[in-house]
Amino acid sequence: MSAPPRTHESPAPVDEPGPLTVPSSREAAGAWVDVVLPCLDEAGALAAVIAGLPSRCRAVVVDNGSNDGSAELAAGLGATVVREPRRGYGAAVHAGLLASTAELVAVCDADGSVDLADVARLAEPVVDGRWDLTVARRRPAPGAWPAHARLANRALALGLRARTGLVLADLGPLRVARREGLLALRLADRRSGYPLETVLRAHAAGWRIGQLDVAYAPRVGRSKVTGTLRGTVQAARDMSRLLGETR
């Protein structure tokens, strides 16, 4: 299957510094899926997260300014480590996408809330040509998803449907698509709006988007975004801005 078409409303190119990459001890050429893991102080979760990688998947850990030794730990565990000094979820994911080399890329939280064994299952519909983008739908364990974050997600899903007609119950903590297709979307958001922009631009470009359930466990350590009320409000603002720009 060829890469999905470019969107016709892509922004102009932005000159950006390339990420500083520490090579992995695994052979990148042998990877089937590169799993981009944005990381900010996730040392407590990384060992179990990386250990859960399916075969022929490579961890691309993007350190976004950690102070707990996350980058060094990830490198010691065999991950490719990318250092992205610009703070922001979108900045970290974009740096990981640039550093990836596999045909398929998964983007997943590095906090231990999602079992990376699910990457293979979410990749299957992309590989066999049914979908161009698979988005996870959280099935949370008790206490895993704070009420304020659930409410914000529900409002976002309703706004997405109203603006585009696209029915997704959750933007999810895990997404899978072809790397070249994602690069062709020319995603510009470098903060919390990145997951929504991915879906909006993919939809505008005519991508087939599907959703599969994943178990969602309580994260390891302190949440920096949707686990806090302040982080949830900021993420909601970023995403509401993107929805407001959608016609």
Side-chain angles (χ1 to χ4, degrees):
M1 171 183 163
S2 60
R6 291 177 182 266
T7 173
H8 296 296
E9 300 178 356
S10 297
V14 177
D15 291 329
E16 298 178 346
L20 174 62
T21 304
V22 179
S24 170
S25 61
R26 300 184 183 187
E27 284 294 329
W32 172 52
V33 182
D34 278 341
V35 183
V36 175
L37 299 163
C39 174
L40 177 58
D41 294 330
E42 303 290 4
L46 279 175
V49 168
I50 293 173
L53 279 170
S55 61
R56 293 190 62 202
C57 289
R58 179 176 64 131
V60 180
V61 175
V62 185
D63 186 71
N64 204 206
S66 299
N67 294 310
D68 66 349
S70 290
E72 294 77 13
L73 174 62
L77 293 169
T80 290
V81 176
V82 180
R83 298 184 188 273
E84 176 48 78
R86 294 168 299 172
R87 285 294 181 91
Y89 177 84
V93 175
H94 183 66
L97 184 60
L98 292 177
S100 297
T101 56
E103 182 179 0
L104 281 94
V105 171
V107 178
C108 188
D109 293 346
D111 57 15
S113 59
V114 176
D115 186 349
L116 290 191
D118 282 323
V119 167
R121 183 166 56 87
L122 268 68
E124 285 179 3
V126 179
V127 172
D128 66 23
R130 280 179 286 154
W131 299 339
D132 303 304
L133 172 66
T134 307
V135 181
R137 178 185 183 185
R138 282 170 277 206
R139 292 299 189 185
W145 202 2
H148 59 265
R150 286 199 200 203
L151 289 172
N153 183 77
R154 185 177 303 170
L156 176 64
L158 291 173
L160 179 65
R161 182 173 185 174
R163 288 285 184 177
T164 67
L166 185 61
V167 180
L168 289 179
D170 185 8
L171 288 182
L174 172 61
R175 301 176 298 282
V176 180
R178 295 184 186 275
R179 178 178 181 271
E180 292 302 320
L182 288 171
L183 288 172
L185 292 179
R186 307 299 295 276
L187 301 173
D189 193 281
R190 295 295 179 261
R191 302 203 322 176
S192 302
Y194 191 94
L196 177 59
E197 187 186 21
T198 301
V199 171
L200 289 172
R201 289 197 172 276
H203 178 69
W207 286 27
R208 294 158 299 172
I209 303 172
Q211 190 149 58
L212 292 175
D213 290 352
V214 299
Y216 190 64
R219 63 158 291 133
V220 176
R222 181 179 64 86
S223 175
K224 274 73 73 176
V225 186
T226 55
T228 68
L229 181 58
R230 180 178 179 181
T232 297
V233 169
Q234 182 60 63
R237 285 176 177 169
D238 289 344
M239 294 187 185
S240 295
R241 172 182 52 78
L242 287 168
L243 279 179
E245 294 170 356
T246 303
R247 296 290 183 269

